[in-house]
Amino acid sequence: MKRLIILLLLANFTTYAQQKSSPGNKKAIIVLTYDDAIMSQLNIAIPQLDSAHLKGTFFLTGSITPQALPRWREAFNHGHELANHTLYHPCLLTNVKGNPINNSENYTVYGILREIGMMNNFLYAIDGASTHTYAYPCTEGKVGGVDYVDSLRKSGLVKYARMGGDQNAIVTDYSKLDPLLVPSWAVVGNYTGNDLIAFVKKVQANGGMGVFMFHGVGGDYLVTSAQAHRELLKYLSQHKDEVWVATFKEAMEYVSKK
């Protein structure tokens, strides 16, 4: 009799754990992503995320210093996703300022794919993960004037990739979502915590998925204030029963099965 009671309790606990870990009963999916492997993410964003018991996705470049590398490895060990943002972050220099050697106009499709593959190897040396997701530098799907999205698809280097977008970048029809062109809200500007939370509420109201794209948090460039970021995380923590905060890889693995 005692053994039967224990088995029933274990069964109930297992069912409860499965319900709690499943995103299926949540109203929305939110993905917090951070670009460029910059120090304010290590110093401010990750401690805030850890304090709120939330996970983020960090799209890293090859600019990581030897001093920062173990801190990124520690972030991965705490459950954050490390992802691919190329080695050198090439951009079209008519749109942004940068080193001329990294002008995407001078790249070839072969060159960008090789760079993505090399960054995958670099990330493997940090986290040991066999696959990594990707974010297009400067949200550009072209190099040298040539679209490389389908070439990336055929290469098998990545399964999921994040693009840019605005506050309307909410995915509701997963069957029509291209896994290599996932939209996101590029948070650039003096946005408050209420602004960030309003985006989450919009995602909740539409019952879909919303992806944030952050850069600096409380410092560096394209800065989101530490206070606004903290307020967003507080809201997400308070609404865990309705909102599943997932890494980019976790979210895409889930929606790809829908």
Side-chain angles (χ1 to χ4, degrees):
M1 182 66 179
K2 186 181 292 184
R3 184 180 178 186
L4 177 61
I5 292 172
I6 291 172
L7 288 172
L8 287 171
L9 287 172
L10 285 172
N12 287 336
F13 175 78
T14 301
T15 301
Y16 175 76
Q18 288 173 342
Q19 289 174 341
K20 295 297 283 184
S21 63
S22 170
N25 60 345
K26 305 294 176 71
K27 294 181 180 178
I29 302 171
I30 291 294
V31 181
L32 304 168
T33 72
Y34 306 79
D35 287 12
D36 298 355
I38 47 185
M39 292 306 296
S40 65
Q41 295 166 5
L42 287 170
N43 294 335
I44 299 174
I46 288 176
Q48 287 188 357
L49 286 163
D50 288 344
S51 179
H53 305 291
L54 298 172
K55 306 305 175 189
T57 295
F58 293 84
F59 288 102
L60 308 186
T61 66
S63 63
I64 299 171
T65 65
Q67 294 75 25
L69 192 149
R71 296 180 67 186
W72 286 114
R73 182 176 288 125
E74 181 182 9
F76 174 79
N77 290 334
H78 285 178
H80 302 291
E81 179 188 0
L82 305 186
N84 192 325
H85 206 34
T86 73
L87 284 173
Y88 302 115
H89 199 290
C91 287
L92 190 63
L93 296 190
T94 56
N95 299 330
V96 297
K97 294 181 180 180
N99 190 326
I101 200 169
N102 296 331
N103 188 350
S104 63
E105 181 64 25
N106 299 327
Y107 270 63
T108 63
V109 171
Y110 170 77
I112 190 70
L113 294 183
R114 181 176 62 173
E115 192 170 312
I116 294 167
M118 292 175 67
M119 189 63 199
N120 272 346
N121 294 338
F122 186 13
L123 289 168
Y124 177 77
I126 299 174
D127 61 19
S130 58
T131 62
H132 294 91
T133 60
Y134 177 65
Y136 299 89
C138 293
T139 67
E140 296 171 4
K142 293 183 178 182
V143 290
V146 179
D147 191 303
Y148 71 92
V149 176
D150 283 337
S151 295
L152 179 61
R153 194 187 317 277
K154 294 172 184 175
S155 73
L157 289 169
V158 297
K159 287 175 64 178
Y160 310 118
R162 193 213 65 201
M163 255 298 179
D166 57 21
Q167 287 155 287
N168 295 310
I170 299 172
V171 180
T172 55
D173 188 347
Y174 301 135
S175 67
K176 295 181 180 178
L177 175 63
D178 186 332
L180 288 184
L181 291 171
V182 181
S184 65
W185 175 24
V187 183
V188 179
N190 190 26
Y191 289 103
T192 66
N194 285 337
D195 294 327
L196 304 179
I197 292 167
F199 178 71
V200 177
K201 289 180 176 179
K202 188 187 296 186
V203 178
Q204 288 176 266
N206 285 275
M209 178 177 72
V211 181
F212 284 94
M213 181 205 304
F214 295 110
H215 288 80
V217 177
D220 295 313
Y221 51 84
L222 301 178
V223 180
T224 298
S225 75
Q227 179 64 26
H229 188 258
R230 186 183 299 110
E231 290 173 8
L232 168 65
L233 300 188
K234 181 179 179 181
Y235 177 87
L236 292 171
S237 294
Q238 292 174 339
H239 293 81
K240 283 185 176 180
D241 58 329
E242 298 179 14
V243 181
W244 181 39
V245 180
T247 66
F248 186 60
K249 182 184 290 185
E250 287 173 336
M252 289 306 301
E253 290 286 357
Y254 176 73
V255 303
S256 294
K257 297 173 183 176
K258 297 292 284 180

